[in-house]
Amino acid sequence: MTPRESSPLTHLLLLFQLLLPLALSSLHPPHPPPAHVPTLVPHTPRPLLRSRFSAHTQLDFTTHCNSSCFHRGEQEVQREQLEEKLAFETLYADGSRTLTTVDVEGDDELEEGKGHSAQTSPRRRVTPVRRRVRRQIYGADGRFNIQGDNFLLDYPFSTAVRISTGCTGVLVSQQHVLTAAHCVHDGKDYVKGARKLRVGFLIPPSMNGTADSLKSGQKPLIRWVRVRRTRVPKGWIQGPQEVSMDFDYALLELRWPHRRPFMRLSVAPSSDDLAGKRIHFSGFDSDRSGELVYRFCPVEEESSDLIYQHCDARPGASGSGVYGRVWDNSLERWERKVIGIFSGHQWLEIDGENRDYNVAVRITPLKFAQICYWVHGNRLDCVHN
């Protein structure tokens, strides 16, 4: 199967696909009310033993799930269990660790199942099982290589960064990168590469400053920046596999701010409330070395914690920021916002039928509150979406 190469026609098609959701948004039904966001109250961090960094990075992350975990939602879990899963570890650049426990306040609406994004009955569509040509590629390869300064340095592609362990991340503030937890931690210990974790920024050939870099076909260089600290939710650490995918996210804090645009976070709405009902993400797929690869697709299924889809992807795309056009009440317009983190692949067994999906972790109100606290360090800045 021949990948789609960069060409004027490809660029025109890409621009059309980027603008299509905006055109469709004009036909969108009335906007839903903003999601209720609870508040996380952190306790004093407790020192832990230093990490051994004994784990190996698993770029091709695959899980299995049945109807029990498919229907699991935040409102079905007791407050004590939620608080335990929303506790988090902080890994510092010197290898030291701390554990921070939290209390959850203002989550009554979630517990009663009234929260906008907490779905007690996820959408169910009967879809045929699709035979896969190769892992994480469905039918014709629908990915686009992003090349040229006009694309690599433009939003939203400029928000995608590489993680030194082989994954992808997305810029969510001037100093923070959101990625998948399994890119830095295997559920029991941190991976070897997390000891000196770095984030890579693409530098287009025309900005490399050398004659060789101006030759056609030259791939972008990467400028690496060290990570100051890494935060992983306790729900990922030592959790059952089918549950831990729900918490497969981590936040990296850079040693100093970058100067590139970043993408804001949002509580993930129902796919019916996404412009065009589509999701998008860009990542560094392993089969296209040195290239940034963009793709988009409709949401196939959604549970309270996961987004199921058939976006083409390969190992290395894990940790990509999954975004859609979400209505911003404060700006009164549609905005691209990160609503999930691409995790990997899952076999979903429903009514005795195995279905094959690529999966993104959904940013729920509680996860939004947690990640927002990690970014701002102040829970008062995270009470509204």
Side-chain angles (χ1 to χ4, degrees):
M1 186 177 302
T2 303
R4 298 186 184 182
E5 300 296 340
S6 179
S7 68
L9 181 59
T10 301
H11 287 168
L12 287 175
L13 180 59
L14 178 58
L15 285 173
F16 173 76
Q17 297 294 352
L18 288 172
L19 294 175
L20 181 60
L22 185 59
L24 293 175
S25 67
S26 62
L27 304 176
H28 205 268
H31 310 303
H36 170 74
V37 177
T39 302
L40 260 64
V41 182
H43 297 169
T44 302
R46 177 166 57 88
L48 299 174
L49 296 176
R50 298 174 69 89
S51 172
R52 295 173 296 162
F53 298 101
S54 62
H56 296 277
T57 306
Q58 184 180 357
L59 298 182
D60 194 4
F61 185 54
T62 301
T63 60
H64 294 78
C65 178
N66 54 31
S67 58
S68 63
C69 60
F70 179 73
H71 288 288
R72 181 179 290 109
E74 289 181 338
Q75 73 278 5
E76 300 172 9
V77 182
Q78 294 183 354
R79 179 191 294 262
E80 293 77 11
Q81 293 176 303
L82 282 175
E83 292 175 343
E84 181 180 358
K85 294 180 183 299
L86 291 168
F88 57 90
E89 278 193 13
T90 302
L91 172 69
Y92 297 89
D94 63 359
S96 61
R97 294 186 299 155
T98 59
L99 173 65
T100 304
T101 56
V102 300
D103 292 330
V104 177
E105 294 182 349
D107 65 333
D108 293 340
E109 291 186 13
L110 287 174
E111 290 181 347
E112 296 171 4
K114 298 179 181 178
H116 168 65
S117 67
Q119 302 178 14
T120 57
S121 181
R123 287 186 306 115
R124 292 285 303 279
R125 288 204 291 263
V126 179
T127 55
V129 177
R130 304 186 183 185
R131 296 293 181 183
R132 302 192 337 152
V133 177
R134 53 181 177 170
R135 182 166 296 280
Q136 298 183 3
I137 300 294
Y138 296 86
D141 195 335
R143 297 173 296 164
F144 294 88
N145 286 359
I146 303 302
Q147 297 177 340
D149 295 5
N150 292 338
F151 286 103
L152 286 174
L153 294 181
D154 281 355
Y155 184 90
F157 306 118
S158 58
T159 65
V161 292
R162 291 196 64 177
I163 309 300
S164 58
T165 55
C167 291
T168 301
V170 59
L171 301 173
V172 293
S173 85
Q174 293 182 346
Q175 206 165 346
H176 295 89
V177 175
L178 189 64
T179 189
H182 77 259
C183 295
V184 297
H185 196 291
D186 73 345
K188 296 181 180 180
D189 194 15
Y190 291 90
V191 303
K192 293 181 179 179
R195 187 188 298 270
K196 296 182 179 180
L197 195 60
R198 299 178 298 165
V199 169
F201 293 79
L202 285 185
I203 307 297
S206 64
M207 299 180 62
N208 292 344
T210 63
D212 291 339
S213 66
L214 299 179
K215 296 179 181 179
S216 61
Q218 288 291 317
K219 294 182 178 180
L221 294 181
I222 298 178
R223 177 176 63 88
W224 294 100
V225 177
R226 290 289 301 273
V227 171
R228 179 186 176 191
R229 58 185 173 184
T230 301
R231 280 173 164 159
V232 180
K234 191 68 174 173
W236 167 259
I237 299 172
Q238 296 179 346
Q241 191 178 51
E242 69 272 11
V243 177
S244 62
M245 197 176 215
D246 298 348
F247 291 88
D248 188 15
Y249 58 93
L251 190 77
L252 317 180
E253 181 179 333
L254 304 176
R255 283 196 169 183
W256 52 79
H258 59 82
R259 297 182 179 180
R260 300 199 178 186
F262 58 88
M263 196 176 298
R264 294 175 60 197
L265 295 170
S266 172
V267 172
S270 165
S271 62
D272 292 334
D273 296 317
L274 289 173
K277 299 183 180 181
R278 292 183 176 182
I279 58 172
H280 313 246
F281 60 96
S282 299
F284 296 93
D285 300 46
S286 59
D287 63 334
R288 301 193 186 180
S289 177
E291 300 284 354
L292 179 63
V293 184
Y294 162 77
R295 82 254 28 223
F296 62 91
C297 67
V299 176
E300 300 285 345
E301 300 278 2
E302 51 190 336
S303 68
S304 295
D305 286 283
L306 299 176
I307 300 172
Y308 294 86
Q309 33 78 20
H310 286 150
C311 282
D312 295 326
R314 294 287 288 159
S318 293
S320 299
V322 174
Y323 64 89
R325 287 187 179 271
V326 179
W327 181 256
D328 189 303
N329 288 295
S330 61
L331 299 177
E332 295 188 346
R333 67 188 185 199
W334 295 89
E335 289 284 311
R336 293 187 186 93
K337 292 185 179 181
V338 177
I339 61 172
I341 306 94
F342 181 61
S343 178
H345 176 252
Q346 186 173 96
W347 290 98
L348 180 61
E349 183 179 351
I350 299 291
D351 299 328
E353 179 184 13
N354 280 323
R355 301 179 186 178
D356 186 16
Y357 293 104
N358 284 334
V359 180
V361 177
R362 185 189 189 98
I363 297 181
T364 63
L366 283 170
K367 292 170 187 173
F368 177 88
Q370 182 189 55
I371 298 170
C372 184
Y373 172 76
W374 290 347
V375 170
H376 294 285
N378 183 351
R379 62 190 179 93
L380 298 180
D381 293 332
C382 304
V383 293
H384 297 294
N385 187 3

